Amino acid sequence: MAENQTNSAELADVVDLEQHAKADRKPPAAKRYRIRIDKNYYVVEQSSMTGREILALAGKTPETHMLSEKLRSGQSIPIEPDQTVDFTKHGVERFQTLPLDPTEG
């Protein structure tokens, strides 16, 4: 009986990137990842996404917004629209969008 439990428990169900970064732990492989974009949280079912896909989750496009990943160290790294972001990479805390035209809105 215990065999079935270990097989299904091999992959975590949902891994929160922000919590792992703050605890200085590398996120494990999981079925789903909880990511933060600006002030909102999203659960995705893949371990990596492009900058364009992450912006689309937040309802934004590369034509109107720039995307950057915030690391636990406080460093902010710009993400290109076609650049792939690996959610299992150590230290990725959250994502931030910035309007390309600061006079907009």
Side-chain angles (χ1 to χ4, degrees), residues 59-90:
K60 299 174 181 178
T61 69
E63 290 73 34
T64 60
H65 288 78
M66 184 183 102
L67 180 70
S68 61
E69 66 181 7
K70 300 287 278 184
L71 302 180
R72 180 181 183 272
S73 64
Q75 188 179 6
S76 181
I77 300 173
I79 303 295
E80 296 298 322
D82 296 319
Q83 182 180 340
T84 299
V85 177
D86 180 0
F87 299 143
T88 63
K89 188 173 83 177
H90 186 247

Side-chain angles (χ1 to χ4, degrees), residues 10-105:
E10 284 177 18
L11 281 183
D13 186 37
V14 178
V15 168
D16 187 313
L17 291 189
E18 191 172 22
Q19 285 181 358
H20 275 75
K22 286 182 177 178
D24 198 19
R25 293 192 321 250
K26 183 181 188 300
K31 295 176 186 172
R32 295 180 293 166
Y33 295 87
R34 183 174 187 247
I35 62 174
R36 180 174 157 199
I37 307 169
D38 297 327
K39 294 181 181 178
N40 300 312
Y41 292 90
Y42 303 87
V43 175
V44 297
E45 295 187 5
Q46 59 265 47
S47 62
S48 65
M49 293 175 77
T50 64
R52 187 179 309 276
E53 291 169 330
I54 294 169
L55 280 171
L57 268 181
K60 299 174 181 178
T61 69
E63 290 73 34
T64 60
H65 288 78
M66 184 183 102
L67 180 70
S68 61
E69 66 181 7
K70 300 287 278 184
L71 302 180
R72 180 181 183 272
S73 64
Q75 188 179 6
S76 181
I77 300 173
I79 303 295
E80 296 298 322
D82 296 319
Q83 182 180 340
T84 299
V85 177
D86 180 0
F87 299 143
T88 63
K89 188 173 83 177
H90 186 247
V92 176
E93 189 172 300
R94 61 189 169 93
F95 299 92
Q96 185 175 0
T97 64
L98 292 168
L100 291 176
D101 180 1
T103 60
E104 220 176 80

Side-chain angles (χ1 to χ4, degrees), residues 1-11 31:
M1 269 192 195
E3 271 184 50
N4 289 343
Q5 290 175 344
T6 36
N7 288 342
S8 62
E10 284 177 18
L11 281 183
K31 295 176 186 172

